[in-house]
Every structure is written in structure tokens, then in C-alpha cells.
Amino acid sequence: MEKKISDYILVSSGLGVMVAYHVWLFYRIVRHPNKTVIGINAINRRLWVRAMMEDASKNGVLAVQTLRNNIMASTLLASTAIMLCSLMAVLVTSGGHSESPLVVLGDKSVFGFSIKFFAILVCFLVAFLFNVQSIRYYSHASILINTPFKNISTHAHHRRLTADYVATTVNRGSYFWSLGLRAFYFSFPLLLWIFGPIPMFSSSFLLVFLLYFLDVAFEFCWADGNLDYVPQRDEEEEIGK
């Protein structure tokens, strides 16, 4: 009974730390995007999309190749995730788990191992779904980014709306790719949970510590960032002066 209690306390604490960190990160991305790597990248992607669409005949090939590289990266992660899902499904349904001597503390029963493998399976399945959505948005963006919006409308407002829509599509593809990658990150503590709740609890804190330095922008903070901000033509000319 004490072993199961240690699983409940340590595993719940480890998951709570990771969830709390990502809630905090989501708040920072929404409220202070200029202080996070994800937010700064989203702003710069909007500027990149607008630059590519300014001259589609000249930059169209570059834009499509860049998006194709992102599609290939998402495809690789999706293929890896579904392969690992199949492996975890076999381990869950085999029922041939034996007590591991490497488990120092925690539940060593067959049912306990099934729960651990099932949690890892769910993690990889979520990663697969997120990466599939990323491929979907990148595929749409590869067509939309070559839209001849200058020939469709001469109104500057309509042109800006078209560029903003394409930029939003590209950003959504990147967001889903990041979420799929986070699902892979979440799987590491769950994999170590196989060896007991203590490795899982320790790896959760270590993962959050490392992700903090990967997610927070220390040197490239803008004064006021906004995910929807795109400099206007007069602002660009003023900056150029």
C-alpha cells in the first residue's frame, strides 16, 4: 500500500509541475509574447509571410520549399509517434510484464505496468495527432502563400487581410508542431516512470528546468510584443529612415 501511495504522490507531483509550467508558459505567450521564443518566432513568421507575398513570382519557390521542409519535419515526428504507439499497444495488450528488479519504489504489479505503458501510448498518440494537424496547416499555407493578392484587389486593407490569414495558417501549423514536440517531451518522464516514481519525479523537474531556458527569450525581448502585430508600410518607411 505504501508503494502505491508513493506512486500517487510523486507521479501526481511530477505531472503537476509540468502542467503548471505549461500553463505559465501559455500565459506568457498570450500576454507577453515578446519575452518567449514561441511568441517572437510567431511575430517573425508573420513578417516573413508578408515579405514572401510581396513578390510571389520571385519568392514563391523559396516559400514553398521552406514550408515543404516543415512538412517533412512534421511527417517524421508523426511517423515516429505512430510507430511508438504500435509498440506501446503491443506492450499493453501482451500482459507479459514481470516485476523489474530496477524498480526501487512503486507499484510493481502487472496492472501498474499496464497503466504506465498506456499513459505513454496516449502521449505518443497525442503527438501523432498534433503533427498531422501541423501537416494539414502547412499544406494549406503552401498554396495560400502564392495567392496573387495584388491582382485580386487593389485595396490595401484587403491585401493585409489576405497576408494575415496566410500568416495565421503558418503560425497554426507551427503551434501544432510545437505541441506535438511537447507531447514527446512529456513521454520522457512517463518512460522513466517504468523504473519507479522517483526517476519520474526527478526527470519532471529536470525537464521543466531545461524547457525554461529553451522557451524564455533573455536577449531578444522587444519593448511591446503582439502576436498579431505586423508593421504597416508607413511604419516600415519610418524605420528605414
Side-chain angles (χ1 to χ4, degrees):
M1 186 64 182
E2 293 181 357
K3 296 180 179 179
K4 292 184 178 181
I5 292 177
S6 64
D7 262 318
Y8 296 149
I9 296 176
L10 294 179
V11 173
S12 300
S13 300
L15 292 176
V17 168
M18 291 191 293
V19 171
Y21 168 76
H22 284 88
V23 170
W24 172 83
L25 179 62
F26 177 76
Y27 171 79
R28 297 284 289 183
I29 293 173
V30 173
R31 303 296 297 179
H32 307 284
N34 58 306
K35 297 181 181 179
T36 62
V37 174
I38 295 176
I40 292 176
N41 288 342
I43 296 172
N44 287 318
R45 274 192 299 270
R46 286 186 174 274
L47 299 176
W48 176 80
V49 168
R50 182 173 180 179
M52 293 296 103
M53 296 186 70
E54 284 292 334
D55 191 353
S57 60
K58 180 180 179 181
N59 301 322
V61 176
L62 173 61
V64 171
Q65 286 181 344
T66 302
L67 293 173
R68 185 180 62 181
N69 292 337
N70 291 328
I71 292 175
M72 292 175 62
S74 299
T75 303
L76 176 62
L77 291 181
S79 301
T80 303
I82 199 63
M83 180 185 65
L84 293 174
C85 282
S86 302
L87 177 61
M88 290 297 110
V90 171
L91 293 176
V92 169
T93 57
S94 63
H97 315 301
S98 59
E99 293 189 3
S100 174
L102 298 177
V103 180
V104 180
L105 186 66
D107 190 4
K108 301 180 182 180
S109 64
V110 175
F111 179 72
F113 275 101
S114 297
I115 293 178
K116 296 174 184 179
F117 286 127
F118 180 75
I120 300 171
L121 169 64
V122 171
C123 213
F124 288 139
L125 184 60
V126 170
F128 170 75
L129 295 176
F130 279 145
N131 281 286
V132 167
Q133 289 298 314
S134 176
I135 295 172
R136 170 176 173 262
Y137 279 108
Y138 281 139
S139 298
H140 292 330
S142 63
I143 298 176
L144 295 173
I145 201 167
N146 285 320
T147 303
F149 65 97
K150 289 185 177 180
N151 299 330
I152 296 176
S153 175
T154 58
H155 200 284
H157 178 66
H158 293 164
R159 294 181 181 180
R160 184 173 182 271
L161 288 178
T162 303
D164 285 347
Y165 177 77
V166 178
T168 300
T169 303
V170 174
N171 275 334
R172 285 177 179 175
S174 179
Y175 293 152
F176 276 110
W177 185 84
S178 297
L179 289 173
L181 200 59
R182 297 282 160 165
F184 276 103
Y185 292 157
F186 263 76
S187 68
F188 292 139
L190 295 178
L191 285 170
L192 292 178
W193 187 21
I194 298 175
F195 304 101
I198 296 178
M200 188 273 177
F201 180 75
S202 303
S203 63
S204 298
F205 275 91
L206 179 61
L207 179 63
V208 169
F209 177 77
L210 295 176
L211 287 178
Y212 176 80
F213 289 98
L214 294 177
D215 293 329
V216 177
F218 296 98
E219 300 178 357
F220 303 100
C221 295
W222 296 350
D224 289 306
N226 192 329
L227 289 177
D228 297 325
Y229 172 73
V230 177
Q232 300 300 311
R233 177 65 63 182
D234 54 349
E235 294 177 349
E236 292 176 350
E237 293 176 354
E238 184 177 352
I239 293 174
K241 294 178 181 179

